[in-house]
């Protein structure tokens, strides 16, 4: 997708938030698998039977179709109950009616129906039209405000992350690697604890300050400023995304009840509005960076001998001096850029605090939510690693790592070894705008395409796009006379990234039905491993060697993918009674 960090951060929409959000949404859907509760004005089957017992007429009796309930039932008593007690041993011999309104254990000792309120989330009480209208407008206002806040935040982050390998070199890529390491830890433990303490709204606002800390470190980039800033961002990113997912899902459910619409449709629409804003961040952020860095900057001279060290010939140690002089960012430009991005990050927190209402305004979700403990994180971590005993999970791990590798390559290696080296650092933003736009447009197109041609052709399209660009990187010498090639390469890589970000997510849902939490926890963990591997090696491996590593992950990943498709098609692996593939220890 557009944002290099946004995919792993959405882990919480899946790792923690997804399960809670889906649970909250589905609690209000009708359960069609069970008989509906009817509003009977006369006595239930159990009450009628109990009347007979009180009169000493224990034994078998028959209820006909024209009696109180809509179907016949034959009842018997296993033993003679004591007089004056509730009937506790009535069982149906034939098709009877399960009257869920009667619960003996909760009875008050009378014949009256005494059932505790349902444990499901209570529906929104009926309100007058003015109140309903006010709540609907309030919900839409909050959705827009959250979307605007995230647009400001990731306008700053995405653009600054794209520049790290160019303006901060080794330090920049090291900080990104540390960031993803902190993210992996945060995904398992931090979100449930922080959200239970601060509640949803304040969790979002508080965690956005972690991004501000990373922007603040850009004013004076040293290891003792950048690394702590990266850790704070990584730890805060996971609960922020989790809280955002929870908020959108819960207000979507409430809006659906107020308007009598399908919950899933409304929640999907809410997320669509959010990502309509969010996907524009790659444009605004990179436009700002290129505008600031283009002042008093010129495109690299294609006849400069140092250009021969770009592209496939790029090595971090050979190009360090050249990049430091050719792509030097003055203090004035650095302070201007960092100041703009820091302002955007801080503004996002202010927008949440001032213009977003707490969930308590619309319902009692936060009061109903059980307090989370560290044990919740430990359970998730255990489930994540136990899921590795699933044969399909082992086979899909290389392709999941590839998803992180290819995003980090375009963000770190391509921007540094090709764009900054061949054109100048001020062109990074313009090239990445092209990448982001193609990524966004294709992300929308691929889901309906899968319905038309199937999943495998779309995966093959992604492979073809990446392989063609990798071959180009091996044979092409970057220079400013062929500027259009930079934009074509970024666009094609964006098309491929759209395949991986949409289809790998969907594929996890297909091959791991009913195991969303553990499965997507693995997805985000292994994708983060791909980011870490690529960023750590950014300053230690030449581009030619890096390209071999990239093509290796892609090859092994696709081998695992095709293996799963064949195993699923011919149903080779043993399955359980629920038709799910058995884990290795279940064989």
């Amino acid at each position: 997708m557009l944002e290099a960090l946004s995919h792993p951060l959405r882990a919480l929409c899946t790792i923690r938030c997804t399960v809670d959000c889906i649970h909250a949404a589905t609690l209000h859907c009708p359960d069609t698998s069970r008989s509906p509760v009817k509003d009977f004005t006369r006595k239930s089957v159990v009450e009628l039977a109990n009347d007979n017992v009180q009169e000493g007429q224990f034994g078998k009796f028959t209820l006909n179709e024209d009696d109180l309930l809509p179907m016949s039932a034959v009842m018997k008593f296993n033993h003679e109950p004591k007089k004056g007690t509730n009937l506790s041993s009535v069982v149906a011999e034939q098709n009877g009616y399960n009257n869920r309104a009667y619960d003996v254990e909760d009875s008050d000792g009378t014949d009256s129906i005494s059932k505790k309120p349902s444990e499901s989330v209570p529906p929104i009480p009926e309100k007058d039209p003015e109140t309903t209208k006010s709540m609907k407008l309030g919900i839409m206002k909050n959705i827009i405000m959250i979307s605007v806040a995230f647009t400001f935040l990731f306008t700053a982050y995405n653009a600054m992350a794209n520049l790290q390998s160019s303006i901060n070199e080794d330090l920049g890529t090291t900080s990104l690697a540390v960031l993803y390491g902190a993210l992996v830890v945060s995904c398992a433990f931090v979100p449930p604890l922080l959200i239970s303490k601060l509640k949803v709204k304040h969790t979002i606002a508080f965690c956005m300050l972690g991004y501000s800390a990373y922007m603040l470190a850009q004013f004076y980039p040293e290891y003792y400023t950048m690394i702590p800033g990266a850790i704070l961002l990584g730890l805060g990113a996971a609960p922020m995304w989790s809280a955002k997912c929870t908020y959108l899902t819960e207000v979507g459910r409430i809006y659906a009840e107020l308007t009598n619409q399908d919950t899933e449709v409304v929640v999907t629409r809410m997320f669509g509005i959010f990502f309509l804003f969010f996907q524009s961040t790659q444009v605004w952020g990179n436009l700002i960076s290129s505008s600031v860095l283009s002042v008093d900057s010129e495109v690299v001279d294609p006849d400069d001998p140092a250009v021969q060290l770009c592209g496939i010939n790029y090595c971090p140690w050979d190009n360090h001096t050249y990049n430091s002089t050719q792509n030097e960012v003055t203090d004035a430009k650095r302070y201007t850029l960092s100041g703009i991005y820091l302002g955007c990050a801080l503004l996002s927190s202010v927008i949440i605090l001032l213009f977003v209402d707490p969930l308590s305004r619309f319902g009692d979700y936060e009061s109903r939510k059980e307090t989370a403990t560290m044990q919740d994180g430990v359970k998730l971590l255990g489930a994540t690693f136990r899921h590795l005993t699933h044969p399909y999970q082992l086979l899909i791990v290389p392709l999941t790592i590839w998803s992180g590798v290819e995003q980090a390559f375009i963000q770190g290696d391509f921007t540094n070894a090709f764009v900054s080296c061949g054109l100048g650092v001020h062109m990074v933003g313009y090239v990445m705008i092209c990448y982001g736009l193609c990524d966004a447009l294709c992300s929308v197109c691929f889901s309906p395409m899968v319905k038309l041609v199937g999943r495998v052709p779309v995966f093959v399209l992604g492979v073809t796009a990446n392989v063609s660009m990798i071959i180009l990187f091996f044979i092409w010498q970057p220079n400013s006379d062929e500027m259009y090639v930079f934009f074509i390469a970024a666009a094609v890589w964006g098309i491929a990234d759209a395949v991986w970000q949409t289809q790998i997510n969907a594929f996890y849902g297909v091959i791991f039905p009913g195991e969303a939490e553990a499965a997507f926890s693995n997805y985000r963990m292994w994708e983060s491993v791909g980011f870490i591997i690529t960023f750590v090696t950014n300053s230690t491996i030449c581009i030619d060697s890096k390209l071999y590593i990239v093509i290796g992950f892609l090859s092994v990943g696709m081998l695992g993918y095709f293996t799963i498709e064949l195993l699923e098609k011919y149903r080779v692996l043993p399955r359980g009674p629920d038709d799910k593939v058995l884990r290795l220890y279940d064989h």
Side-chain angles (χ1 to χ4, degrees):
M1 285 292 291
L2 305 177
E3 59 291 338
L5 184 63
S6 66
H7 298 303
L9 297 190
R10 285 181 221 158
L12 275 298
C13 294
T14 308
I15 297 177
R16 280 288 176 195
C17 166
T18 298
V19 173
D20 291 340
C21 293
I22 292 176
H23 179 65
T26 56
L27 280 175
H28 294 75
C29 297
D31 186 354
T32 58
S33 64
R34 303 166 72 175
S35 302
V37 177
K38 303 185 183 299
D39 183 17
F40 294 110
T41 58
R42 290 180 290 175
K43 292 185 178 182
S44 67
V45 173
V46 176
E47 287 178 304
L48 181 62
N50 200 31
D51 287 345
N52 287 356
V53 173
Q54 302 303 324
E55 297 170 6
Q57 299 177 14
F58 60 89
K60 294 186 179 180
F61 69 95
T62 300
L63 290 177
N64 299 317
E65 291 184 356
D66 59 348
D67 280 319
L68 299 179
L69 296 175
M71 58 183 71
S72 61
V74 178
M75 314 296 290
K76 71 177 183 179
F77 311 138
N78 295 333
H79 57 81
E80 178 180 353
K82 296 180 180 179
K83 188 172 183 179
T85 62
N86 280 316
L87 182 64
S88 59
S89 56
V90 176
V91 297
E93 274 192 326
Q94 298 178 3
N95 292 331
Y97 191 94
N98 179 20
N99 192 326
R100 291 180 290 147
Y102 190 93
D103 191 338
V104 175
E105 293 182 359
D106 299 312
S107 176
D108 58 1
T110 69
D111 290 343
S112 59
I113 297 174
S114 54
K115 177 67 176 176
K116 290 189 295 186
S118 172
E119 295 180 357
S120 62
V121 181
I124 303 297
E126 292 186 5
K127 300 180 181 295
D128 61 85
E130 287 299 322
T131 303
T132 300
K133 181 179 179 181
S134 175
M135 289 186 67
K136 289 164 58 179
L137 291 175
I139 287 173
M140 293 309 301
K141 183 265 294 184
N142 286 316
I143 295 295
I144 298 298
M145 288 296 101
I146 289 176
S147 302
V148 170
F150 272 76
T151 299
F152 276 107
L153 184 65
F154 280 87
T155 288
Y157 174 76
N158 284 338
M160 187 60 79
N162 289 338
L163 292 171
Q164 287 306 300
S165 63
S166 299
I167 64 175
N168 292 326
E169 299 180 341
D170 297 355
L171 174 59
T173 54
T174 300
S175 71
L176 292 175
V178 171
L179 188 156
Y180 282 99
L183 174 66
V184 171
V185 176
S186 174
C187 284
F189 300 103
V190 179
L193 297 175
L194 198 60
I195 293 175
S196 65
K197 296 293 183 183
L198 300 181
K199 306 306 179 186
V200 175
K201 170 186 171 178
H202 291 97
T203 296
I204 297 174
F206 177 74
C207 292
M208 283 178 167
L209 296 177
Y211 288 80
S212 300
Y214 191 68
M215 300 306 154
L216 187 62
Q218 306 297 325
F219 283 93
Y220 192 72
E222 299 290 344
Y223 277 96
Y224 56 82
T225 59
M226 293 284 286
I227 300 304
I231 293 174
L232 289 175
L233 194 161
L235 292 176
M240 181 192 73
W241 279 96
S242 179
K244 185 273 301 181
C245 290
T246 300
Y247 195 101
L248 265 60
T249 302
E250 185 63 14
V251 296
R253 179 193 66 79
I254 296 169
Y255 193 92
E257 292 189 355
L258 292 173
T259 58
N260 295 318
Q261 298 182 62
D262 182 74
T263 300
E264 183 178 353
V265 171
V266 174
V267 171
T268 301
R269 189 184 306 150
M270 298 299 183
F271 277 90
I273 294 172
F274 173 82
F275 284 109
L276 178 66
F277 282 82
F278 186 84
Q279 290 181 338
S280 68
T281 59
Q282 195 71 262
V283 176
W284 314 128
N286 287 314
L287 191 59
I288 292 171
S289 68
S290 288
S291 299
V292 172
L293 297 175
S294 293
V295 177
D296 299 327
S297 297
E298 297 181 357
V299 175
V300 175
D301 185 355
D303 297 325
D304 190 329
V307 175
Q308 299 300 316
L309 297 177
C310 299
I312 191 65
N313 299 317
Y314 183 91
C315 286
W317 46 88
D318 292 337
N319 292 69
H320 181 79
T321 303
Y322 170 68
N323 272 359
S324 297
T325 56
Q326 184 67 34
N327 294 316
E328 183 178 2
V329 177
T330 64
D331 288 343
K333 292 181 180 179
R334 179 183 293 276
Y335 296 154
T336 301
L337 205 58
S338 300
I340 293 173
Y341 291 153
L342 177 61
C344 289
L346 290 173
L347 182 59
S348 66
S349 294
V350 173
I351 291 174
I352 297 296
L353 288 173
L354 297 183
F355 300 107
V356 175
D357 298 313
L359 274 180
S360 57
R361 177 193 166 184
F362 306 105
D364 60 346
Y365 172 84
E366 292 179 322
S367 62
R368 288 186 284 103
K369 186 69 175 174
E370 295 182 359
T371 302
T373 64
M374 185 63 71
Q375 290 182 346
D376 296 324
V378 174
K379 289 179 180 178
L380 174 62
L381 196 62
T384 300
F385 285 103
R386 282 195 301 273
H387 199 261
L388 287 171
T389 60
H390 195 297
Y392 288 173
Q393 181 62 68
L394 294 175
L395 289 169
I396 201 65
V397 162
L399 189 64
T400 310
I401 296 176
W402 157 253
S403 175
V405 168
E406 61 90 11
Q407 292 178 77
F409 178 85
I410 193 72
Q411 186 184 36
D413 296 286
F414 175 73
T415 55
N416 190 23
F418 290 86
V419 183
S420 292
C421 187
L423 294 178
V425 67
H426 63 287
M427 292 298 297
V428 169
Y430 294 129
V431 173
M432 293 303 288
I433 287 175
C434 185
Y435 164 79
L437 287 175
C438 291
D439 198 333
L441 292 174
C442 291
S443 295
V444 176
C445 297
F446 284 144
S447 292
M449 185 184 296
V450 169
K451 295 180 181 179
L452 293 175
V453 301
R455 184 172 54 238
V456 174
V458 175
F459 271 90
V460 172
L461 173 62
V463 174
T464 303
N466 280 131
V467 170
S468 62
M469 289 303 98
I470 292 172
I471 294 173
L472 174 67
F473 295 153
F474 270 114
I475 64 177
W476 173 54
Q477 182 60 51
N479 67 84
S480 57
D481 286 340
E482 299 175 335
M483 187 177 295
Y484 64 92
V485 180
F486 292 92
F487 290 91
I488 292 175
V492 175
W493 202 276
I495 294 172
D497 181 66
V499 172
W500 307 126
Q501 302 315 314
T502 59
Q503 298 311 307
I504 295 180
N505 270 283
F507 194 53
Y508 264 75
V510 171
I511 62 178
F512 303 121
E515 303 174 86
E517 188 170 12
F520 283 100
S521 179
N522 269 279
Y523 174 78
R524 300 308 178 184
M525 180 178 70
W526 293 111
E527 185 183 50
S528 296
V529 169
F531 276 98
I532 295 170
I533 291 173
T534 308
F535 284 132
V536 166
T537 57
N538 182 272
S539 59
T540 58
I541 296 180
C542 296
I543 287 297
D544 57 348
S545 301
K546 178 65 74 66
L547 288 174
Y548 285 115
I549 294 175
V550 169
I551 197 72
F553 274 112
L554 177 58
S555 301
V556 176
M558 287 306 297
L559 178 62
Y561 164 72
F562 283 125
T563 302
I564 294 175
E565 289 283 10
L566 290 174
L567 292 175
E568 189 69 12
K569 180 178 180 179
Y570 295 104
R571 303 176 66 85
V572 175
L573 298 179
R575 297 172 182 265
D578 55 359
D579 200 40
K580 294 181 181 179
V581 174
L582 296 177
R583 299 173 186 270
L584 296 179
Y585 58 75
D586 292 331
H587 290 184

